[in-house]
Amino acid sequence: GVMPQTVNKLDGAFAIAVVCADYPNELIVVRQQAPLSIGLGQGEFFCASDTPALVSHTQVVVTLENGEIARLTPLGVEIYNFAGDRLNKVPRILNWSPTLVEKNIFKHFMLKEIYEQPNVIRGCLETYINSDWDINNNRVSPTNLELSPALYQDLEQVEIFACGTSWHASLIGKYLLEQLAGISTTVNYASEARYAPSPLRKNTLTIGVTQSGETADTLAALAMEKQRRLDKPAEFSSRLLGITNRSESSIASVVTQIIDIRGGIEIGVAATKTFVAQVMAFYLLALELGWQKQYLSGEKIVEIVNGLRQIPAQMEQILETQDSQIEDFAHQFNDTQDFIFVGRGINYPIALEGALKLKEISYIHAEGYPAGEMKHGPIALLDDKVPVVAIAMPGLVYEKVLSNAQEAKARDAQLIGVTPESTEADVFDNVLAVPAVDELLSPMLTVIPLQLLAYHIAAHRGLDVDQPRNLAKSVTVE
């Protein structure tokens, strides 16, 4: 009785659990705009903000909706709305086996998840590349995304909302959508776009990218976009697409269609496999839209698809050859306080991602820059104590990155190259070698040495890699 009176006085977004000294065997949980799941065990009950936390205890879960209260006692769970009416909710069974949340031979979940990347990409290719498509059978779509035509008809531009690592994946998505589908694309931090929405443009596809499907800012930006396009002429109506690892999460109720990146459960707070899976979703989306708009030739589609099919084995090659080398290499950064990452073109977002990984888990100050921007200020930071990691893949901007790297080397910086083994590589003091691939496909390979570098530096410092300080896996608050 007293609980509905109380919750109706609360403002804002919350997921709370309340205990009362007078009722020691009861736990009351309340949800409003922040996710909450309840696990049903044998004579024991659990609450958590996300289902992965429950898997090791029980497979049976009930997800609370906004405006619901649950009362957990040793006898069971009762669920009410804020008016105090009892609700009947049907539990669902998680199809994850508890072994998915065990580290097995790996020291940390993050390392396990780095090693899962080749199979995640294999799974995406098997699921989403249409094997019936070929250059002579060009009438069927090259992908199995099964996008609703309403999303892409007369499409003029794409707007993407994301936060953190998902924002980096989206920057690569922008590059792919513009280069492979000829569609002008903007990428916005969801937390910024919410408070300064860009002018309404017609025939716009709005994409929200969130691993958990629960990121508060991203959901709010999508909801705002949906809201402000209501009652507008048809060409302004909202077209909403979600790219997420959790198709049953909150984002599903906001968007009309979802691309499930199928990364599997990710425990490490610093995203690794879900990053490459999000990037993979953008390759597929760009292929699909490029084909729909007849922007891509059949030959180019064949070339890209064949290239993508090689990626998992090339990822495995990096893991086999580089992991132990990078582990040894990481020892020399015990006292390093700053790192700079540079890249150009499609690999500039990988410089940002490499810097973010290092910040998140090793707490080293790191910056990612477009290589051409170094001389516009940041080069003043360089001396022999600041390592510079340059991503240099043969292609459009290869020579440019090498010349930017030379500039850094002239300032005594230790120069680390993420680059194929080659004659030009002698500009670098150290090389984190990756296979030579088409520049367009390279981000999914160049990110792996940077993930390993961040991981080994942090592990060597004895830090809690899987749960870094001050961070949460799903950011469900503003």
Side-chain angles (χ1 to χ4, degrees), residues 254-325:
V254 186
V255 300
T256 41
Q257 192 160 356
I258 276 190
I259 299 178
D260 181 351
I261 63 171
R262 304 174 69 89
I265 193 167
E266 187 173 65
I267 307 283
V269 166
T272 51
K273 65 177 180 172
T274 56
F275 171 76
V276 294
Q278 285 172 343
V279 170
M280 188 69 210
F282 277 116
Y283 279 98
L284 295 158
L285 181 62
L287 275 177
E288 176 67 30
L289 296 177
W291 172 78
Q292 293 286 359
K293 293 189 66 180
Q294 300 183 327
Y295 189 86
L296 276 182
S297 68
E299 288 77 13
K300 188 71 182 163
I301 293 176
V302 169
E303 185 189 319
I304 292 167
V305 169
N306 288 343
L308 288 171
R309 289 190 191 282
Q310 310 297 314
I311 294 281
Q314 290 164 331
M315 288 176 149
E316 282 164 348
Q317 186 187 330
I318 297 173
L319 291 167
E320 281 161 24
T321 57
Q322 289 295 311
D323 187 16
S324 55
Q325 282 184 22

Side-chain angles (χ1 to χ4, degrees), residues 86-103:
R86 179 95 185 251
L87 306 174
N88 273 328
K89 297 195 59 130
V90 182
R92 60 193 173 90
I93 312 287
L94 295 175
N95 56 358
W96 300 327
S97 72
T99 55
L100 286 178
V101 291
E102 290 169 7
K103 291 190 284 244

